[in-house]
C-alpha cells in the first residue's frame, strides 16, 4: 500500500490522494503545471464548435439587414459554428444599431415635417381678422 500525499489542499486539509512511488506527493501536487495542463485540456474538450472560415459581415444599413444577420447567427449557434458568446455580442450591437435606425428615422420625419410647415407658412396668405359675431 502506498503512502498518502503530504501536501495540503487550499482549505488546509490533508490531500487524500496516494503519493507517487518514490516521492511524498501525489501526481498533481508533485507537478502543479500538470494540473493546470489537465484543466486546460478538459476545458478545450468542452468546446464543441467547428472551426470555420472567418465570416465578413457587411454593414447592416436597414433593420431588415440586422434581422438577416441575427437570423444567420441563430442558425450558426444552433449548428455549433458560432460561439454563443460571440452571438451575444452581436445581439448587443444589433440592439444599439436598431435604436440608431429608429432615431435616424424619427429625425428624418421631423425634418420633413418642418420643411412642409415652412413651405406652408411661406405660401399661406394672412387670414383676415375674425369678425366679432357678438354671441358671447
Amino acid at each position: 500500500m502506498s503512502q498518502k500525499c503530504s501536501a495540503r489542499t487550499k482549505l488546509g486539509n490533508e490531500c487524500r490522494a496516494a503519493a507517487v512511488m518514490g516521492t511524498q506527493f501525489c501526481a498533481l501536487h508533485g507537478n502543479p503545471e500538470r494540473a493546470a495542463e489537465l484543466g486546460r485540456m478538459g476545458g478545450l474538450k468542452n468546446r464543441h464548435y467547428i472551426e470555420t472560415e472567418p465570416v465578413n459581415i457587411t454593414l447592416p444599413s436597414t433593420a431588415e439587414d440586422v434581422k438577416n444577420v441575427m437570423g444567420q447567427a441563430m442558425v450558426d449557434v444552433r449548428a455549433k459554428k458560432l460561439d454563443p458568446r460571440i452571438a451575444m455580442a452581436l445581439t448587443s450591437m444589433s440592439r444599439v444599431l436598431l435604436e440608431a435606425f429608429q432615431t435616424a428615422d424619427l429625425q428624418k420625419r421631423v425634418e420633413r415635417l418642418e420643411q412642409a410647415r415652412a413651405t406652408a407658412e411661406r405660401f399661406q396668405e394672412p387670414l383676415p381678422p375674425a369678425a366679432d359675431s357678438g354671441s358671447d
Side-chain angles (χ1 to χ4, degrees):
M1 180 170 146
S2 63
Q3 62 188 101
K4 289 192 175 186
C5 177
S6 62
R8 296 229 174 244
T9 64
K10 288 181 181 179
L11 296 176
N13 301 328
E14 292 181 5
C15 178
R16 298 184 303 176
V20 174
M21 182 136 352
T23 68
Q24 58 182 350
F25 297 113
C26 65
L28 296 180
H29 284 118
N31 186 0
E33 291 84 26
R34 183 165 188 251
E37 182 60 32
L38 290 173
R40 203 171 7 265
M41 287 170 45
L44 291 174
K45 287 181 183 177
N46 291 335
R47 307 262 191 293
H48 302 290
Y49 299 100
I50 300 168
E51 291 294 325
T52 60
E53 296 285 326
V55 177
N56 291 329
I57 299 173
T58 59
L59 176 65
S61 57
T62 64
E64 183 74 18
D65 292 345
V66 173
K67 181 189 83 154
N68 292 336
V69 168
M70 293 309 304
Q72 186 60 48
M74 290 173 66
V75 169
D76 288 348
V77 167
R78 185 76 175 126
K80 296 187 178 189
K81 292 182 180 179
L82 180 65
D83 188 324
R85 291 176 289 181
I86 294 172
M88 286 300 298
L90 284 172
T91 301
S92 297
M93 290 185 283
S94 295
R95 203 173 291 134
V96 171
L97 190 57
L98 288 173
E99 289 173 5
F101 288 156
Q102 287 176 339
T103 302
D105 183 49
L106 286 174
Q107 186 177 8
K108 287 178 185 175
R109 291 175 65 192
V110 167
E111 287 173 2
R112 282 195 307 262
L113 286 172
E114 287 175 347
Q115 287 175 350
R117 181 175 173 227
T119 303
E121 285 177 353
R122 211 176 321 134
F123 293 111
Q124 185 179 22
E125 295 179 14
L127 296 174
D132 190 17
S133 61
S135 59
D136 284 319

